[in-house]
Amino acid sequence: MTSADLRARYRRIVTFFGILIAGFIYWELLLPKLGLSRLSDRTRDERNRQAAVRFRKLAISMGGLMIKVGQFLSARLDILPADITDELSGLQDKVPPAEFAAIRDRAEADLGRPLSEAFASFEATPLAAASLGQTHRAVLRASDAAETGFASVVVKVQRPAIEKIVEVDLSALRKVGGWLARYKPVADRADVPALVEEFATTSGEEIDYLAEARNAAHFREAFADDEGVRVPEVAWEHSSLRVLTLEDVTAIRIGDHDAITAAGIDLAAVADKLVETYLQQIFNDGVFHADPHPGNLFVLPLESPGDFRLTFVDFGMVGRLPDGLRSGLRETLIAIGTQDAPRLVKAFGSLGVLLPTADTTLLELASAQVFDRFGGMAMSDLRNISHEDMMNFGLQFRDLMVSMPFQLPENLLLLGRSLAILSGMCTSLNPDFNLWSALTPYATRLITEETGDGFDWQNLVSGGTRVLSSLTALPARANRILTTVERGDLMIKTPMLDLRVRQLNQTLSRMTTAVVFAGLIVAGALLYASEPVLAKVLLAASLVPLLAGIFGGRGHGPR
């Protein structure tokens, strides 16, 4: 790829996002300031979807990091509308393969010897082709196979010039991130430059195949004692920075439900095993496979009927959870498993996912309502919840849902994306997959570990503890309320009423601005023929209410 090609690539990326941001400013800032909020609101969902469609086409046509960017954005449920994340969620990293001659030259240069010397055979047709590299089946020479204990391998080779492409893509993304960082509503929701750097770090790890080899070795060791999980072994003598050779462990793809069933394996058991392995990765090891899409998971039938091994491949994207973060996640799991709303909100705080402006009281109430209304439901039941029930819940907690007081720290991004993919796969394997049933035993085990005995705390924690804590706290709460009343400091919050008043004030202000603007424009147009000087003055004066409508009232939106 020439320098001119790289410059054109940079311009194409920056131009695409520049047009996208300009459209957002027009629809979401300019029109509402002119009193045209309804037009903006009415077209928002379709505009978001069309923007995601355009980016999806761009990513597929350009390859490089753009497909990774789409997958990255699809996990940003905390800052992006569902119309965008849903459209991007199915973006697969599949691109046309590179010419085999270029792949062969790169592999031989990195390994320091011809492929004919390194392998007994090497298939020219790739097994799969992705944006950063592609894989080929091969067979080790007899002497190497005797040493490693396996002969069939899968060799992943980086695409030619991918380092330069990644560098250009990251440079363009940093430019766009700098633009977005200047826009306060975006800056309040996310540190975009930090997200870009997090993405850059992840991308750098993905093109370091020695790092991926070490990740594979870690997972192999972590699951060494689990007969139900298989991880490929690394052929170290045939691996380098740009070439990775792993034991060939391909079997039935986890998405091929018919083949799994034909092998006598229960799909629901596969879903349960998948969840079990991720709970171990997240809460025990603190290191998890961060790209669990169907192409990276296989099911290997064993000799005993119904028995199988869950097989993981592709360890380029791995998430790591520090001890403090893992502790917060354990608290979250216990709170969900025991349906303890106060504990859940406290866990959110320890994880750093709550914005400083979050109304924790309202959030606690909403969490309790979710547990009471939806707790214990299978995924199939959740999908069949009536529209009326969801509308009632949304109306009850409208303030909370409008403000969305959540942010996703960078170190939770990969975890959120992984769990979203995992949930979809488990539901696909088993439509009656019940998240509560899967989490509750593990939460109970964590509570038992906390107490140091084998008592079954599940029923006690989920019921009796809440009653006891409420009764214990009642005298202190009553005393605080009485003291507040005596001081005359008792305040009653009416968030819905406050919201309506603010919205009414904004509407009146915009109507006034629009009327003055329209009046000056019309008067100037009528007088232009007979009184051109006065008409020009009126037309110029119309800029005042226009600018006031666009830039005025900042900071007076719903809080």
Side-chain angles (χ1 to χ4, degrees):
M1 182 171 283
T2 65
S3 298
D5 292 333
L6 293 173
R7 286 194 297 270
R9 182 182 182 89
Y10 176 88
R11 288 194 298 269
R12 187 178 178 188
I13 296 171
V14 171
T15 301
F16 175 87
F17 283 104
I19 293 173
L20 203 64
I21 293 171
F24 178 84
I25 292 173
Y26 174 79
W27 285 99
E28 302 296 339
L29 297 182
L30 178 59
L31 293 187
K33 291 293 184 182
L34 295 176
L36 298 174
S37 297
R38 288 188 178 181
L39 176 60
S40 176
D41 294 341
R42 189 169 61 250
T43 60
R44 182 176 295 116
D45 291 349
E46 181 61 19
R47 284 188 286 104
N48 288 339
R49 194 188 68 80
Q50 287 295 331
V53 168
R54 290 195 299 274
F55 177 79
R56 184 172 182 157
K57 291 179 179 178
L58 175 81
I60 293 173
S61 66
M62 295 191 70
L65 285 185
M66 289 301 100
I67 291 178
K68 299 291 183 183
V69 170
Q71 294 174 333
F72 183 88
L73 294 175
S74 70
R76 295 308 313 212
L77 302 176
D78 56 326
I79 59 174
L80 290 175
D83 311 284
I84 293 177
T85 57
D86 288 349
E87 184 65 36
L88 297 178
S89 62
L91 188 60
Q92 295 293 319
D93 193 359
K94 295 180 180 179
V95 297
E99 291 291 336
F100 178 67
I103 291 294
R104 181 187 58 215
D105 291 346
R106 165 148 282 210
E108 291 180 345
D110 233 48
L111 294 176
R113 49 183 166 162
L115 292 182
S116 58
E117 292 182 10
F119 302 94
S121 65
F122 194 102
E123 294 184 6
T125 302
L127 181 65
S131 55
L132 303 182
Q134 60 190 54
T135 56
H136 296 256
R137 277 201 169 98
V139 177
L140 296 178
R141 289 186 167 274
S143 56
D144 294 326
E147 184 177 341
T148 60
F150 54 90
S152 297
V153 294
V154 173
V155 184
K156 182 157 74 169
V157 185
Q158 278 184 18
R159 284 177 172 270
I162 193 62
E163 301 97 328
K164 293 181 180 179
I165 292 174
V166 168
E167 183 180 348
V168 167
D169 289 359
L170 289 175
S171 178
L173 292 174
R174 289 187 176 104
K175 171 66 73 174
V176 174
W179 292 344
L180 292 174
R182 298 189 184 98
Y183 178 48
K184 191 174 184 300
V186 173
D188 288 345
R189 298 294 298 171
D191 186 347
V192 179
L195 288 178
V196 172
E197 294 310 315
E198 176 71 15
F199 179 71
T201 300
T202 303
S203 302
E205 292 174 352
E206 283 202 74
I207 59 174
D208 181 353
Y209 284 178
L210 287 177
E212 182 174 347
R214 290 190 292 271
N215 291 338
H218 170 86
F219 277 92
R220 184 173 174 83
E221 181 180 354
F223 287 100
D225 297 329
D226 191 337
E227 291 294 327
V229 177
R230 189 183 186 191
V231 176
E233 191 170 348
V234 180
W236 290 101
E237 294 299 320
H238 295 73
S239 299
S240 64
L241 186 65
R242 299 178 182 86
V243 179
L244 175 62
T245 304
L246 295 172
E247 175 189 8
D248 188 354
V249 294
T250 53
I252 304 173
R253 288 182 179 270
I254 199 168
D256 192 346
H257 299 167
D258 291 339
I260 295 173
T261 303
I265 298 171
D266 182 16
L267 293 176
V270 176
D272 292 341
K273 184 62 180 178
L274 185 57
V275 172
E276 179 189 322
T277 60
Y278 264 85
L279 289 174
Q280 176 181 330
Q281 292 173 53
I282 294 168
F283 296 103
N284 294 353
D285 301 336
V287 180
F288 62 94
H289 191 296
D291 196 17
H293 67 74
N296 289 339
L297 288 163
F298 298 91
V299 177
L300 175 66
L302 301 179
E303 291 184 3
S304 300
D307 287 351
F308 64 91
R309 279 182 184 163
L310 190 63
T311 304
F312 288 82
V313 299
D314 194 346
F315 303 90
M317 193 180 296
V318 167
R320 290 176 173 81
L321 303 171
D323 290 340
L325 185 61
R326 207 180 335 161
S327 175
L329 290 171
R330 287 166 67 95
E331 277 294 300
T332 302
L333 178 62
I334 293 172
I336 293 174
T338 58
Q339 300 188 26
D340 187 338
R343 188 168 190 169
L344 179 62
V345 175
K346 186 177 179 181
F348 284 161
S350 68
L351 286 173
V353 301
L354 292 181
L355 292 170
T357 55
D359 186 337
T360 55
T361 302
L362 189 59
L363 183 58
E364 185 177 311
L365 180 60
S367 300
Q369 288 283 344
V370 168
F371 287 143
D372 291 341
R373 176 64 183 86
F374 310 118
M377 282 189 172
M379 292 299 178
S380 57
D381 296 329
L382 289 173
R383 287 198 300 268
N384 293 326
I385 293 173
S386 69
H387 179 70
E388 183 180 357
D389 283 350
M390 292 305 297
M391 285 296 295
N392 289 337
F393 181 84
L395 289 172
Q396 185 178 359
F397 297 102
R398 186 182 186 282
D399 248 9
L400 182 67
M401 298 178 77
V402 167
S403 63
M404 285 299 290
F406 301 102
Q407 60 184 356
L408 193 59
E410 289 77 19
N411 50 13
L412 281 179
L413 174 62
L414 288 177
L415 179 60
R417 177 180 180 272
S418 301
L419 293 180
I421 298 173
L422 187 68
S423 175
M425 275 198 294
C426 289
T427 305
S428 176
L429 287 163
N430 177 17
D432 295 325
F433 173 72
N434 193 313
L435 179 64
W436 312 97
S437 298
L439 293 181
T440 300
Y442 205 85
T444 304
R445 192 190 320 164
L446 293 179
I447 297 173
T448 302
E449 290 175 3
E450 284 186 350
T451 61
D453 57 49
F455 185 79
D456 181 7
W457 287 89
Q458 180 177 341
N459 292 329
L460 177 62
V461 175
S462 63
T465 300
R466 285 202 292 268
V467 175
L468 182 60
S469 62
S470 297
L471 290 173
T472 304
L474 189 58
R477 290 179 179 176
N479 182 59
R480 286 197 299 270
I481 292 172
L482 290 174
T483 302
T484 303
V485 172
E486 289 174 354
R487 291 200 308 261
D489 294 336
L490 183 65
M491 296 178 64
I492 299 175
K493 293 185 178 181
T494 56
M496 292 299 293
L497 181 59
D498 293 343
L499 178 64
R500 294 289 186 268
V501 171
R502 290 197 298 270
Q503 289 175 336
L504 180 60
N505 285 335
Q506 291 172 353
T507 301
L508 290 173
S509 176
R510 290 167 183 165
M511 286 177 62
T512 302
T513 300
V515 168
V516 173
F517 171 70
L520 291 172
I521 284 286
V522 172
L526 293 175
L527 293 173
Y528 197 82
S530 58
E531 299 288 344
V533 176
L534 178 58
K536 290 178 181 178
V537 171
L538 292 174
L539 290 173
S542 70
L543 292 175
V544 176
L546 175 62
L547 294 175
I550 296 173
F551 298 105
R554 287 187 175 180
H556 299 292
R559 291 181 289 271

